[in-house]
Structure formats: structure tokens, C-alpha cells
Amino acid sequence: MKKIKLSNMLIVLILSLGAIIMVGPLLWMISTSLKDKAGVFQLPPQWIPNPVRFDAYKRLSELDTLFSGIKNTVIVSLSVTIIGTLTSSLAAFSFAKLRMPFKDVLFLLLLAALMIPYPAVMIPQFMMFSKIGWVDTLLPLIIPGMFGNITMIFFLRQYLSNIPDSIVEAAKIDGAGYLQTFFQLIFPLIRPAIAAQFILWFMGAWNDYLAPLIYLNSPEKQTLQVVIANLNAAYAIQTDYPLIMAASVVSLLPVLVVFIIFQKQIIESVALSGMKG
């Protein structure tokens, strides 16, 4: 019993230390955004600002590029994740439950695309989008994602493999079409898995920096991450770290809200995957 208690205490200590290491930078970011320039370099460092200042957020709200960046990021993230999640779910359902020739070969070819690094296709994609006039628009960030996400298709296909084929066969005997079968029977069963993949994809789309940096040139077209990078380049020289940290906090809030909303579904997805695996 003493050995068990000692091991439990050691595990709690290690996990607590890991939590502090992971949460510490986040808390310092929030704390810095509530200070003035002099307070950032104060020794010893103040985790709780005294006094609390919202001057950085006030100056941030006066920047036109911030609101345009938020608007563009919301447009890209929601359009890609909502429509792309639907197409990914339908593709996973097709690969998992429908009978079609060369289904497994097509799925392997789809997975092979994951092995191609993005820098290898970055220049050809840019040339293609440039020829059709999509550079400096949001279309290169939106249209490809609407056709689905390979990682989500793979995850949902594996999740669907645990659902009996008899459900689809019974619906087919009752006269239900494939779309009716998917939306009325399959979709409610895989909703936790879809929620888990949705939030991961939303976080990736919201925090995407490289693709917007390549395709977007005009300040009013840039997404939030590019705007924050520009703020960092412009104000870091002036040691205006409260303004930079305030912009980072604003960028973090939507992802945090989405995680809070979908955390129940994510936990259910992990639990069900463990039980069925």
C-alpha cells in the first residue's frame, strides 16, 4: 500500500509539473497583455499586474487590420470546417460501407497524399491559383478544404468500421437511400468522432499562417495570424509586448470557446474509441 501511495504521489507531482509548464506561458501571455511597457520588464516579474491596465486592448481595438483579420479568419475557418466536415463524413461513409470497385485502392491513394510534404506542392499550387486569378483572395484557402480533409476521412472510416454493416443493409431493405441512411442513422452514431475532428480541424484552420502568408498580400485580405505576425514585426522593436500579447489573447479566445463547447463530444469520442479498439 505504501508503494502504491508513493507511486500515486509521484504521478500527481509529475502531472502537476507538466501542467504548470504548459499553462505557465499562457498565463504569462494574459498577464503581459494587462501591463504597460515598463511592467513587462519589472523585476521580480509580476504574474498578477498591479495595477491592471487595458490600454493594450484599447489600442488594439483601434487597429483596422485586427477586425479585417478576424473577419477573414472566421470566413475561412467556418466555411472550410463546416462544409469540409460534411464532405469528409460522406467520403468516409462511402469508403467504409458502400460497395464500389477499387475502393481500397482509391483509399490507399488518398492516404498516400499524406506522405507528400506541403513544400513539395506549394509552388505548383501557387502557380495554378495565380493563373486563375485567385492570388490575394480567400479562395485558395477555402475551396480546397471544402472537398474534405484526408486525416478526418481516415479517422471517420476507422470509426465507421466498428459500426455493423447490418444497419446499412436494414435501411436499404426498408427503402432508404444512401443519403437518408447517412443523415438519419450513421451521422448520429459518429457525431462524437466528427466533433473531435471538427475542433482539431478548426484549430488548424484558425491558426494557419503559411498558406495565408503565401496567397494574401493586401492588409485588408490577410487573416488574423498574419496580422499578428505583422504586429510582432512592427511593435517588437518598440518593445510594445502588451499590444502583441493582447492580439494573441484575442486570437486564442475563439479556439478556447470551440473547445469548451465540444469538450463533451471529444471525451466521448476518445472513450468510445478505446472501448471499441
Side-chain angles (χ1 to χ4, degrees), residues 6 22 31 42 47 49 57 67 70 73 78 81 129 132 144 152 209 222-223 231 236 248 250 269 272:
L6 183 61
M22 289 186 288
S31 174
Q42 186 176 352
W47 285 89
Y57 291 95
F67 294 101
I70 293 175
T73 306
L78 291 182
T81 51
F129 291 138
I132 59 180
M152 178 179 282
Y209 172 71
Q222 292 174 342
T223 57
L231 288 177
S248 300
V250 172
S269 174
L272 290 175

Side-chain angles (χ1 to χ4, degrees), residues 147-250:
F147 291 94
N149 182 288
I150 299 176
T151 304
M152 178 179 282
I153 294 173
F154 172 75
F155 181 84
L156 294 180
R157 179 185 178 273
Q158 299 305 110
Y159 195 90
L160 279 166
S161 63
N162 296 312
I163 297 176
D165 295 337
S166 57
I167 295 179
V168 179
E169 297 296 334
K172 188 175 180 180
I173 293 174
D174 291 338
Y178 289 124
L179 289 178
Q180 187 178 4
T181 302
F182 174 77
F183 285 108
Q184 293 187 1
L185 295 178
I186 302 300
F187 187 84
L189 295 175
I190 64 173
R191 187 168 54 187
I194 291 177
Q197 289 298 305
F198 176 87
I199 187 174
L200 294 175
W201 194 2
F202 179 84
M203 291 171 61
W206 183 271
N207 294 322
D208 188 17
Y209 172 71
L210 181 58
L213 183 65
I214 294 172
Y215 295 113
L216 305 178
N217 301 319
S218 304
E220 65 275 7
K221 299 289 182 63
Q222 292 174 342
T223 57
L224 185 58
Q225 302 304 324
V226 179
V227 171
I228 293 176
N230 293 337
L231 288 177
N232 190 16
Y235 291 95
I237 301 176
Q238 307 173 21
T239 65
D240 196 351
Y241 295 112
L243 181 66
I244 298 172
M245 294 302 172
S248 300
V249 171
V250 172

Side-chain angles (χ1 to χ4, degrees), residues 13-118:
L13 181 62
I14 295 174
L15 292 177
S16 301
L17 181 62
I20 293 173
I21 293 174
M22 289 186 288
V23 177
L26 176 63
L27 296 179
W28 183 253
M29 178 183 69
I30 299 173
S31 174
T32 304
S33 69
L34 299 174
K35 299 176 182 178
D36 55 11
K37 293 183 182 180
V40 177
F41 302 98
Q42 186 176 352
L43 293 176
Q46 288 186 340
W47 285 89
I48 302 177
N50 186 21
V52 176
R53 300 179 182 273
F54 293 94
D55 179 64
Y57 291 95
K58 181 180 178 181
R59 290 186 289 117
L60 188 65
S61 64
E62 296 172 355
L63 298 176
D64 295 334
T65 54
L66 176 70
F67 294 101
S68 63
I70 293 175
K71 181 190 70 174
N72 295 332
T73 306
V74 168
I75 292 173
V76 172
S77 301
L78 291 182
S79 59
V80 167
T81 51
I82 292 175
I83 300 178
T85 296
L86 178 61
T87 54
S88 299
S89 303
L90 290 171
F93 171 67
S94 301
F95 281 119
K97 298 301 178 185
L98 301 188
R99 296 179 181 176
M100 54 184 181
F102 307 109
K103 180 178 66 173
D104 294 334
V105 175
L106 291 174
F107 185 69
L108 290 176
L109 290 176
L110 191 67
L111 291 182
L114 290 174
M115 303 179 187
I116 303 175
Y118 182 69

